Amino acid sequence: MKARWASTYALRILWRLGGVGSFTDWAAFKKDFQAEFFSIDPAKSAALALHNREQYGQGKQTLDEYIDSFQALVEQAAYPDGLQLCLTFRDGLHPTLMERIDNLAEGRPDDEQIASWYKVARDQWQLMEIWQELHRAHPAPRSTSMVTLQHLALPHSESAPALATPAL
């Protein structure tokens, strides 16, 4: 529930409708409340949420949190398995994870099976976590004359500059 909507609703009841006494009974209040805050078509709302890139995606969630929320919306929207569902999941992934999966030479997920995407994403996420733990425990030496493992593990990310290709 959005705080702004709730306060607007409360003010409307208190000032414009004559307070809580303006409802004849609990059922009347419940009906008005549900009309104000709940979607008329939950399946349509879930489908729209899945495709809204500005409001939905992995963001700062862990991968498991993202998969759980994605699965809940897919179930609510009654989406069938297939290419569109896999692309929707892919597009919501953290950019570094998405790039890692896109760049896999072997072991790429099946674009028709969402379970395949979940498995590959989890595998790659675990590899990223392991790499980060190793890097924290044993930081790579800083040197201008050699490429560090940090640059190889997160290509083209904001935290690591892109590798230059040697001129021939």
Side-chain angles (χ1 to χ4, degrees), residues 59-77:
K60 294 183 179 186
Q61 299 179 83
T62 66
L63 181 64
D64 285 335
E65 290 169 339
Y66 171 61
I67 289 174
D68 288 346
S69 64
F70 184 85
Q71 288 174 327
L73 286 172
V74 166
E75 189 174 312
Q76 192 173 13

Side-chain angles (χ1 to χ4, degrees), residues 19-147:
V20 292
S22 62
F23 296 104
T24 56
D25 57 13
W26 176 254
F29 170 75
K30 184 178 175 181
K31 181 179 177 184
D32 187 70
F33 184 84
Q34 287 177 332
E36 187 74 26
F37 291 103
F38 293 93
S39 173
I40 295 171
D41 185 352
K44 183 178 180 181
S45 294
L48 290 172
L50 282 169
H51 291 284
N52 187 337
R53 293 291 157 249
E54 291 180 16
Q55 292 182 356
Y56 184 74
Q58 184 178 355
K60 294 183 179 186
Q61 299 179 83
T62 66
L63 181 64
D64 285 335
E65 290 169 339
Y66 171 61
I67 289 174
D68 288 346
S69 64
F70 184 85
Q71 288 174 327
L73 286 172
V74 166
E75 189 174 312
Q76 192 173 13
Y79 257 32
D81 202 357
L83 178 62
Q84 187 61 44
L85 181 61
C86 294
L87 290 175
T88 300
F89 175 75
R90 177 205 169 272
D91 290 345
L93 290 171
H94 185 281
T96 304
L97 179 58
M98 184 191 322
E99 185 175 349
R100 284 181 66 100
I101 294 171
D102 288 349
N103 291 329
L104 287 174
E106 291 182 22
R108 286 193 44 78
D110 180 346
D111 287 336
E112 295 291 329
Q113 300 292 322
I114 193 65
S116 170
W117 272 90
Y118 296 154
K119 181 184 180 331
V120 172
R122 282 185 172 115
D123 291 347
Q124 291 301 311
W125 188 260
Q126 277 186 325
L127 289 173
M128 288 170 53
E129 288 179 330
I130 290 169
W131 181 87
Q132 287 175 351
E133 277 302 312
L134 288 173
H135 187 263
R136 267 185 280 226
H138 305 288
R142 297 279 177 195
S143 171
T144 57
S145 63
M146 65 182 272
V147 176

